[in-house]
Amino acid sequence: MLSSSLPVAAHTFGNLYHASLTDTLRGLARAGFRQVEIATTPPHVYTPGISADERRQLSRLLRDLGLIACSLTPTFGDLNLSSPNAEVRELSVRQVAQAVQLAHDIEAPTVVVVPGRRHPMVRLPVAGARRVFLRSIEDLLPVAEGLGIRIAVENTAYGVMGTAPELVALADEFNGAIGLVYDSANAIVQEDPAEGVRIIAEHLVLAH
């Protein structure tokens, strides 16, 4: 049974090219939000280049505005944790790990990841993409667990492992070490979102 008291948060992603992260957070605070999900995506946040001072400034800004960062979401338009290109996969793992470190620094408990995508013309078989993604999660979990951050995997409308049963099987494979995020807009082209929520409820960390 899902709690009826789940807090409502706002995502900074929609303002990515319209306002700075600072102005976006100030606007969300004025609108009455108290929890935010921050997209670690340029131009708002570039995790390989954010300095210790900038981390402290972001943490201070959140406190001053009365905001709590409930989660961080790296960009997955560029990154791909299921890429068969080892260099792309390693870059993706590295930048997600950097987002995990930032989450720790600003006291955000969760980093959201998506399983990845396959080439639109010649697709890597699902089993192969899944193996690559599992390896990426195995690389990330020790980093996240060492910093007290939860990795949460989101369903997508593309790529691999997009349905609730597939995500639950993934969570079970890692013995509950990862959480799950359910996006009803991503789900609707693949399954009944209401049924998907029921299936995923035990592992649900965030809902989009």
Side-chain angles (χ1 to χ4, degrees):
M1 178 69 68
L2 291 178
S3 169
S4 60
S5 59
L6 288 174
V8 175
H11 208 309
T12 63
F13 189 72
N15 255 16
L16 197 59
Y17 303 115
H18 303 291
S20 69
L21 178 59
T22 296
D23 288 344
T24 296
L25 293 173
R26 286 175 176 160
L28 293 175
R30 283 196 302 271
F33 288 99
R34 289 295 169 259
Q35 296 210 32
V36 292
E37 185 168 357
I38 298 175
T40 56
T41 304
H44 276 186
V45 179
Y46 178 57
T47 49
I50 185 169
S51 68
D53 186 55
E54 289 169 325
R55 293 165 190 267
R56 286 191 291 269
Q57 289 176 17
L58 177 55
S59 188
R60 189 180 309 118
L61 176 64
L62 289 166
R63 285 197 305 272
D64 290 348
L65 293 173
L67 294 173
I68 296 171
C70 62
S71 56
L72 301 186
T73 311
T75 170
F76 288 98
D78 302 319
L79 305 181
N80 185 1
L81 294 171
S82 295
S83 176
N85 182 321
E87 196 167 357
V88 171
R89 188 194 77 85
E90 289 164 8
L91 168 67
S92 302
V93 168
R94 186 164 64 250
Q95 290 204 10
V96 174
Q98 290 162 344
V100 168
Q101 179 65 58
L102 178 60
H104 170 268
D105 294 344
I106 66 170
E107 300 181 358
T110 303
V111 171
V112 178
V113 304
V114 300
R117 60 190 182 280
R118 296 178 292 157
H119 195 286
M121 294 179 65
V122 182
R123 294 191 168 195
L124 176 67
V126 170
R130 191 178 192 278
R131 280 195 299 272
V132 177
F133 181 67
L134 291 179
R135 190 157 73 250
S136 296
I137 293 296
E138 288 165 357
D139 289 345
L140 287 165
L141 271 180
V143 179
E145 290 173 347
L147 292 170
I149 302 299
R150 177 172 44 196
I151 296 289
V153 181
E154 179 179 356
N155 63 313
T156 62
Y158 56 86
V160 293
M161 288 179 283
T163 66
E166 290 169 327
L167 288 185
V168 168
L170 178 71
D172 289 344
E173 191 160 346
F174 283 97
N175 298 315
I178 62 170
L180 300 178
V181 179
Y182 199 71
D183 187 313
S184 58
N186 289 341
I188 202 165
V189 298
Q190 306 175 90
E191 61 189 359
D192 174 8
E195 179 60 21
V197 169
R198 283 190 287 271
I199 292 170
I200 219 167
E202 182 183 346
H203 303 280
L204 186 67
V205 172
L206 297 167
H208 286 163

